[in-house]
PDB file of all heavy atoms in Angstrom:
ATOM      1  N   LYS Q   1     -12.225 -37.136 -37.404  1.00 97.00           N
ATOM      2  CA  LYS Q   1     -11.490 -38.357 -37.736  1.00 97.00           C
ATOM      3  C   LYS Q   1     -11.797 -39.475 -36.754  1.00 97.00           C
ATOM      4  O   LYS Q   1     -11.896 -40.644 -37.140  1.00 97.00           O
ATOM      5  CB  LYS Q   1      -9.987 -38.061 -37.783  1.00 97.00           C
ATOM      6  CG  LYS Q   1      -9.620 -37.235 -39.001  1.00 97.00           C
ATOM      7  CD  LYS Q   1      -8.159 -36.939 -39.083  1.00 97.00           C
ATOM      8  CE  LYS Q   1      -7.896 -36.081 -40.324  1.00 97.00           C
ATOM      9  NZ  LYS Q   1      -6.511 -35.839 -40.568  1.00 97.00           N
ATOM     10  N   SER Q   2     -11.976 -39.112 -35.496  1.00 97.00           N
ATOM     11  CA  SER Q   2     -12.330 -40.116 -34.492  1.00 97.00           C
ATOM     12  C   SER Q   2     -13.697 -40.715 -34.810  1.00 97.00           C
ATOM     13  O   SER Q   2     -13.879 -41.939 -34.730  1.00 97.00           O
ATOM     14  CB  SER Q   2     -12.336 -39.479 -33.111  1.00 97.00           C
ATOM     15  OG  SER Q   2     -12.751 -40.412 -32.138  1.00 97.00           O
ATOM     16  N   ALA Q   3     -14.630 -39.868 -35.190  1.00 97.00           N
ATOM     17  CA  ALA Q   3     -15.962 -40.364 -35.551  1.00 97.00           C
ATOM     18  C   ALA Q   3     -15.873 -41.266 -36.779  1.00 97.00           C
ATOM     19  O   ALA Q   3     -16.521 -42.330 -36.830  1.00 97.00           O
ATOM     20  CB  ALA Q   3     -16.903 -39.191 -35.813  1.00 97.00           C
ATOM     21  N   ASN Q   4     -15.062 -40.858 -37.749  1.00 97.00           N
ATOM     22  CA  ASN Q   4     -14.888 -41.689 -38.948  1.00 97.00           C
ATOM     23  C   ASN Q   4     -14.248 -43.033 -38.594  1.00 97.00           C
ATOM     24  O   ASN Q   4     -14.609 -44.065 -39.165  1.00 97.00           O
ATOM     25  CB  ASN Q   4     -14.037 -40.962 -39.997  1.00 97.00           C
ATOM     26  CG  ASN Q   4     -14.758 -39.792 -40.641  1.00 97.00           C
ATOM     27  OD1 ASN Q   4     -15.973 -39.709 -40.587  1.00 97.00           O
ATOM     28  ND2 ASN Q   4     -14.008 -38.892 -41.243  1.00 97.00           N
ATOM     29  N   MET Q   5     -13.288 -43.019 -37.673  1.00 97.00           N
ATOM     30  CA  MET Q   5     -12.647 -44.267 -37.255  1.00 97.00           C
ATOM     31  C   MET Q   5     -13.654 -45.159 -36.529  1.00 97.00           C
ATOM     32  O   MET Q   5     -13.632 -46.395 -36.699  1.00 97.00           O
ATOM     33  CB  MET Q   5     -11.440 -43.973 -36.370  1.00 97.00           C
ATOM     34  CG  MET Q   5     -10.263 -43.401 -37.137  1.00 97.00           C
ATOM     35  SD  MET Q   5      -8.856 -43.008 -36.101  1.00 97.00           S
ATOM     36  CE  MET Q   5      -8.349 -44.629 -35.581  1.00 97.00           C
ATOM     37  N   ASP Q   6     -14.530 -44.540 -35.728  1.00 96.00           N
ATOM     38  CA  ASP Q   6     -15.562 -45.339 -35.051  1.00 96.00           C
ATOM     39  C   ASP Q   6     -16.475 -46.005 -36.073  1.00 96.00           C
ATOM     40  O   ASP Q   6     -16.818 -47.194 -35.936  1.00 96.00           O
ATOM     41  CB  ASP Q   6     -16.385 -44.453 -34.109  1.00 96.00           C
ATOM     42  CG  ASP Q   6     -15.602 -44.031 -32.872  1.00 96.00           C
ATOM     43  OD1 ASP Q   6     -14.563 -44.660 -32.569  1.00 96.00           O
ATOM     44  OD2 ASP Q   6     -16.033 -43.054 -32.209  1.00 96.00           O
ATOM     45  N   ILE Q   7     -16.866 -45.258 -37.088  1.00 97.00           N
ATOM     46  CA  ILE Q   7     -17.730 -45.805 -38.140  1.00 97.00           C
ATOM     47  C   ILE Q   7     -17.015 -46.934 -38.874  1.00 97.00           C
ATOM     48  O   ILE Q   7     -17.585 -48.005 -39.113  1.00 97.00           O
ATOM     49  CB  ILE Q   7     -18.159 -44.690 -39.122  1.00 97.00           C
ATOM     50  CG1 ILE Q   7     -19.098 -43.709 -38.416  1.00 97.00           C
ATOM     51  CG2 ILE Q   7     -18.828 -45.274 -40.356  1.00 97.00           C
ATOM     52  CD1 ILE Q   7     -19.381 -42.435 -39.211  1.00 97.00           C
ATOM     53  N   ALA Q   8     -15.740 -46.696 -39.210  1.00 96.00           N
ATOM     54  CA  ALA Q   8     -14.957 -47.728 -39.900  1.00 96.00           C
ATOM     55  C   ALA Q   8     -14.822 -48.959 -39.013  1.00 96.00           C
ATOM     56  O   ALA Q   8     -14.923 -50.103 -39.499  1.00 96.00           O
ATOM     57  CB  ALA Q   8     -13.581 -47.178 -40.277  1.00 96.00           C
ATOM     58  N   GLY Q   9     -14.605 -48.759 -37.721  1.00 95.00           N
ATOM     59  CA  GLY Q   9     -14.502 -49.887 -36.787  1.00 95.00           C
ATOM     60  C   GLY Q   9     -15.789 -50.685 -36.733  1.00 95.00           C
ATOM     61  O   GLY Q   9     -15.763 -51.927 -36.713  1.00 95.00           O
ATOM     62  N   GLU Q  10     -16.915 -49.987 -36.723  1.00 96.00           N
ATOM     63  CA  GLU Q  10     -18.213 -50.674 -36.706  1.00 96.00           C
ATOM     64  C   GLU Q  10     -18.413 -51.479 -37.989  1.00 96.00           C
ATOM     65  O   GLU Q  10     -18.907 -52.608 -37.964  1.00 96.00           O
ATOM     66  CB  GLU Q  10     -19.335 -49.654 -36.527  1.00 96.00           C
ATOM     67  CG  GLU Q  10     -19.378 -49.040 -35.138  1.00 96.00           C
ATOM     68  CD  GLU Q  10     -20.384 -47.894 -35.024  1.00 96.00           C
ATOM     69  OE1 GLU Q  10     -21.136 -47.648 -35.994  1.00 96.00           O
ATOM     70  OE2 GLU Q  10     -20.395 -47.239 -33.968  1.00 96.00           O
ATOM     71  N   LYS Q  11     -18.010 -50.874 -39.118  1.00 96.00           N
ATOM     72  CA  LYS Q  11     -18.136 -51.587 -40.393  1.00 96.00           C
ATOM     73  C   LYS Q  11     -17.249 -52.826 -40.403  1.00 96.00           C
ATOM     74  O   LYS Q  11     -17.665 -53.900 -40.867  1.00 96.00           O
ATOM     75  CB  LYS Q  11     -17.759 -50.663 -41.555  1.00 96.00           C
ATOM     76  CG  LYS Q  11     -18.797 -49.609 -41.837  1.00 96.00           C
ATOM     77  CD  LYS Q  11     -18.370 -48.735 -43.020  1.00 96.00           C
ATOM     78  CE  LYS Q  11     -19.402 -47.651 -43.294  1.00 96.00           C
ATOM     79  NZ  LYS Q  11     -19.003 -46.790 -44.419  1.00 96.00           N
ATOM     80  N   ILE Q  12     -16.027 -52.700 -39.905  1.00 96.00           N
ATOM     81  CA  ILE Q  12     -15.112 -53.839 -39.853  1.00 96.00           C
ATOM     82  C   ILE Q  12     -15.685 -54.929 -38.951  1.00 96.00           C
ATOM     83  O   ILE Q  12     -15.661 -56.122 -39.293  1.00 96.00           O
ATOM     84  CB  ILE Q  12     -13.707 -53.397 -39.391  1.00 96.00           C
ATOM     85  CG1 ILE Q  12     -13.034 -52.570 -40.484  1.00 96.00           C
ATOM     86  CG2 ILE Q  12     -12.852 -54.597 -39.006  1.00 96.00           C
ATOM     87  CD1 ILE Q  12     -11.736 -51.917 -40.071  1.00 96.00           C
ATOM     88  N   ASN Q  13     -16.217 -54.528 -37.798  1.00 95.00           N
ATOM     89  CA  ASN Q  13     -16.822 -55.520 -36.894  1.00 95.00           C
ATOM     90  C   ASN Q  13     -17.998 -56.220 -37.571  1.00 95.00           C
ATOM     91  O   ASN Q  13     -18.175 -57.441 -37.426  1.00 95.00           O
ATOM     92  CB  ASN Q  13     -17.279 -54.856 -35.599  1.00 95.00           C
ATOM     93  CG  ASN Q  13     -16.118 -54.496 -34.683  1.00 95.00           C
ATOM     94  OD1 ASN Q  13     -15.045 -55.069 -34.789  1.00 95.00           O
ATOM     95  ND2 ASN Q  13     -16.347 -53.536 -33.790  1.00 95.00           N
ATOM     96  N   GLY Q  14     -18.796 -55.463 -38.312  1.00 95.00           N
ATOM     97  CA  GLY Q  14     -19.925 -56.063 -39.036  1.00 95.00           C
ATOM     98  C   GLY Q  14     -19.434 -57.043 -40.084  1.00 95.00           C
ATOM     99  O   GLY Q  14     -19.990 -58.155 -40.239  1.00 95.00           O
ATOM    100  N   MET Q  15     -18.377 -56.659 -40.825  1.00 95.00           N
ATOM    101  CA  MET Q  15     -17.825 -57.551 -41.844  1.00 95.00           C
ATOM    102  C   MET Q  15     -17.245 -58.800 -41.208  1.00 95.00           C
ATOM    103  O   MET Q  15     -17.391 -59.921 -41.744  1.00 95.00           O
ATOM    104  CB  MET Q  15     -16.748 -56.824 -42.646  1.00 95.00           C
ATOM    105  CG  MET Q  15     -17.273 -55.832 -43.648  1.00 95.00           C
ATOM    106  SD  MET Q  15     -15.928 -55.275 -44.700  1.00 95.00           S
ATOM    107  CE  MET Q  15     -16.052 -53.536 -44.502  1.00 95.00           C
ATOM    108  N   MET Q  16     -16.577 -58.635 -40.094  1.00 95.00           N
ATOM    109  CA  MET Q  16     -15.991 -59.784 -39.387  1.00 95.00           C
ATOM    110  C   MET Q  16     -17.087 -60.741 -38.940  1.00 95.00           C
ATOM    111  O   MET Q  16     -16.940 -61.964 -39.043  1.00 95.00           O
ATOM    112  CB  MET Q  16     -15.157 -59.318 -38.193  1.00 95.00           C
ATOM    113  CG  MET Q  16     -13.878 -58.581 -38.561  1.00 95.00           C
ATOM    114  SD  MET Q  16     -12.713 -59.582 -39.446  1.00 95.00           S
ATOM    115  CE  MET Q  16     -12.200 -60.722 -38.205  1.00 95.00           C
ATOM    116  N   SER Q  17     -18.182 -60.181 -38.425  1.00 94.00           N
ATOM    117  CA  SER Q  17     -19.298 -61.020 -37.969  1.00 94.00           C
ATOM    118  C   SER Q  17     -19.876 -61.786 -39.148  1.00 94.00           C
ATOM    119  O   SER Q  17     -20.137 -63.006 -39.044  1.00 94.00           O
ATOM    120  CB  SER Q  17     -20.404 -60.186 -37.342  1.00 94.00           C
ATOM    121  OG  SER Q  17     -19.935 -59.600 -36.151  1.00 94.00           O
ATOM    122  N   ARG Q  18     -20.055 -61.107 -40.268  1.00 94.00           N
ATOM    123  CA  ARG Q  18     -20.610 -61.774 -41.446  1.00 94.00           C
ATOM    124  C   ARG Q  18     -19.631 -62.823 -41.974  1.00 94.00           C
ATOM    125  O   ARG Q  18     -20.041 -63.927 -42.396  1.00 94.00           O
ATOM    126  CB  ARG Q  18     -20.950 -60.767 -42.537  1.00 94.00           C
ATOM    127  CG  ARG Q  18     -22.181 -59.930 -42.229  1.00 94.00           C
ATOM    128  CD  ARG Q  18     -22.685 -59.154 -43.420  1.00 94.00           C
ATOM    129  NE  ARG Q  18     -21.730 -58.177 -43.949  1.00 94.00           N
ATOM    130  CZ  ARG Q  18     -21.561 -56.930 -43.492  1.00 94.00           C
ATOM    131  NH1 ARG Q  18     -22.309 -56.506 -42.485  1.00 94.00           N
ATOM    132  NH2 ARG Q  18     -20.687 -56.147 -44.057  1.00 94.00           N
ATOM    133  N   LEU Q  19     -18.346 -62.510 -41.926  1.00 92.00           N
ATOM    134  CA  LEU Q  19     -17.343 -63.488 -42.376  1.00 92.00           C
ATOM    135  C   LEU Q  19     -17.337 -64.704 -41.471  1.00 92.00           C
ATOM    136  O   LEU Q  19     -17.291 -65.861 -41.978  1.00 92.00           O
ATOM    137  CB  LEU Q  19     -15.953 -62.826 -42.399  1.00 92.00           C
ATOM    138  CG  LEU Q  19     -14.783 -63.681 -42.843  1.00 92.00           C
ATOM    139  CD1 LEU Q  19     -14.982 -64.178 -44.277  1.00 92.00           C
ATOM    140  CD2 LEU Q  19     -13.481 -62.918 -42.716  1.00 92.00           C
ATOM    141  N   GLU Q  20     -17.404 -64.488 -40.165  1.00 90.00           N
ATOM    142  CA  GLU Q  20     -17.447 -65.611 -39.214  1.00 90.00           C
ATOM    143  C   GLU Q  20     -18.680 -66.451 -39.448  1.00 90.00           C
ATOM    144  O   GLU Q  20     -18.647 -67.701 -39.393  1.00 90.00           O
ATOM    145  CB  GLU Q  20     -17.385 -65.094 -37.784  1.00 90.00           C
ATOM    146  CG  GLU Q  20     -16.024 -64.566 -37.381  1.00 90.00           C
ATOM    147  CD  GLU Q  20     -16.015 -63.899 -36.005  1.00 90.00           C
ATOM    148  OE1 GLU Q  20     -17.100 -63.738 -35.393  1.00 90.00           O
ATOM    149  OE2 GLU Q  20     -14.919 -63.540 -35.550  1.00 90.00           O
ATOM    150  N   GLU Q  21     -19.822 -65.810 -39.724  1.00 90.00           N
ATOM    151  CA  GLU Q  21     -21.044 -66.542 -39.968  1.00 90.00           C
ATOM    152  C   GLU Q  21     -20.940 -67.339 -41.280  1.00 90.00           C
ATOM    153  O   GLU Q  21     -21.409 -68.486 -41.366  1.00 90.00           O
ATOM    154  CB  GLU Q  21     -22.245 -65.575 -40.075  1.00 90.00           C
ATOM    155  CG  GLU Q  21     -22.645 -64.982 -38.747  1.00 90.00           C
ATOM    156  CD  GLU Q  21     -23.732 -63.900 -38.892  1.00 90.00           C
ATOM    157  OE1 GLU Q  21     -24.259 -63.718 -40.019  1.00 90.00           O
ATOM    158  OE2 GLU Q  21     -24.040 -63.268 -37.885  1.00 90.00           O
ATOM    159  N   ALA Q  22     -20.275 -66.733 -42.272  1.00 89.00           N
ATOM    160  CA  ALA Q  22     -20.134 -67.419 -43.552  1.00 89.00           C
ATOM    161  C   ALA Q  22     -19.208 -68.607 -43.445  1.00 89.00           C
ATOM    162  O   ALA Q  22     -19.384 -69.623 -44.119  1.00 89.00           O
ATOM    163  CB  ALA Q  22     -19.621 -66.434 -44.614  1.00 89.00           C
ATOM    164  N   LEU Q  23     -18.186 -68.494 -42.598  1.00 87.00           N
ATOM    165  CA  LEU Q  23     -17.232 -69.585 -42.423  1.00 87.00           C
ATOM    166  C   LEU Q  23     -17.730 -70.673 -41.489  1.00 87.00           C
ATOM    167  O   LEU Q  23     -17.198 -71.787 -41.477  1.00 87.00           O
ATOM    168  CB  LEU Q  23     -15.891 -69.043 -41.914  1.00 87.00           C
ATOM    169  CG  LEU Q  23     -15.119 -68.143 -42.884  1.00 87.00           C
ATOM    170  CD1 LEU Q  23     -13.881 -67.569 -42.190  1.00 87.00           C
ATOM    171  CD2 LEU Q  23     -14.742 -68.926 -44.132  1.00 87.00           C
ATOM    172  N   ALA Q  24     -18.741 -70.365 -40.716  1.00 78.00           N
ATOM    173  CA  ALA Q  24     -19.225 -71.339 -39.726  1.00 78.00           C
ATOM    174  C   ALA Q  24     -20.113 -72.391 -40.320  1.00 78.00           C
ATOM    175  O   ALA Q  24     -20.507 -72.563 -41.357  1.00 78.00           O
ATOM    176  CB  ALA Q  24     -19.969 -70.636 -38.628  1.00 78.00           C
TER     177      ALA Q  24
END
C-alpha cells in the first residue's frame, strides 16, 4: 500500500505540474 501511495503521489504531482503548466 505504501508503494501504491508513492505511485499515486507521483501521478498527482505529475498532474499538478501539467495543470500548472496549462494554467500558466
Side-chain angles (χ1 to χ4, degrees):
K1 288 180 181 185
S2 177
N4 289 341
M5 288 178 67
D6 288 343
I7 292 169
E10 289 173 6
K11 287 181 181 179
I12 290 172
N13 286 338
M15 284 190 234
M16 291 296 291
S17 294
R18 287 192 298 275
L19 180 61
E20 288 173 354
E21 288 173 7
L23 294 174

